[in-house]
Amino acid sequence: DVQLVESGGGLAQPGGSLRLSCAASDFRFSTAVMTWVRQAPGKGLEWVASINGGGDMPVYADSVKGRFTISRDNTKNILYLQLNSLKTEDTARYYCATGFGINARRGGQGTEVTVSS
C-alpha cells in the first residue's frame, strides 16, 4: 500500500511561511505525479498544486499561485510544499496524494495549518 506521511504544519501569522513535507514509501515515487490538496474547516476538498515525476512541471491553483511552491526530492522520496505570504484563508488540513488534481489519492492523516494573528 502507498504510504504518505505529512508533517510541517503549525501556527503561522498572516504573511508568514511554513514548509510542509510528505514522506512517501511503498511505491515508485520518482515516476509518480504528486499533489497537495487541502480541506478547510467546514469546507470541501480543494486542489492546491501538482507536480510531475521529474519535478519540472508544477501547476498551481489560482488561489495559491505566486505564494506556494511545490517541489520534490526523488532521492529521498519526499514531496514539499513551501507556503509563503500566508493568509487566514489558507487555514486547512493539508494532504499529499498520488496522482493529479482533486481526485488524487490521499494516504495519510494530513498536517494542520492555522494562519492567525
Side-chain angles (χ1 to χ4, degrees):
D1 286 346
V2 168
Q3 299 291 325
L4 300 169
V5 180
E6 301 92 342
S7 62
L11 176 64
Q13 293 187 337
S17 298
L18 287 171
R19 189 194 198 198
L20 309 184
S21 299
C22 171
S25 60
D26 295 341
F27 68 102
R28 191 173 292 181
F29 178 79
S30 62
T31 61
V33 174
M34 296 296 296
T35 286
W36 286 98
V37 296
R38 68 185 180 183
Q39 188 162 22
K43 296 189 176 181
L45 206 60
E46 178 187 11
W47 171 70
V48 175
S50 296
I51 191 167
N52 64 322
D56 59 344
M57 295 178 63
V59 289
Y60 300 94
D62 287 344
S63 58
V64 307
K65 197 174 297 182
R67 301 188 299 119
F68 291 7
T69 302
I70 188 171
S71 63
R72 63 194 298 159
D73 186 336
N74 287 343
T75 67
K76 297 180 180 179
N77 285 7
I78 299 178
L79 179 73
Y80 299 102
L81 187 68
Q82 178 69 39
L83 288 62
N84 295 332
S85 302
L86 282 163
K87 304 177 180 180
T88 55
E89 53 263 44
D90 295 319
T91 295
R93 179 164 289 271
Y94 286 71
Y95 301 88
C96 66
T98 56
F100 180 82
I102 193 66
N103 294 318
R105 181 179 177 184
R106 292 175 286 163
Q109 299 298 312
T111 186
E112 191 76 23
V113 170
T114 302
V115 183
S116 174
S117 55

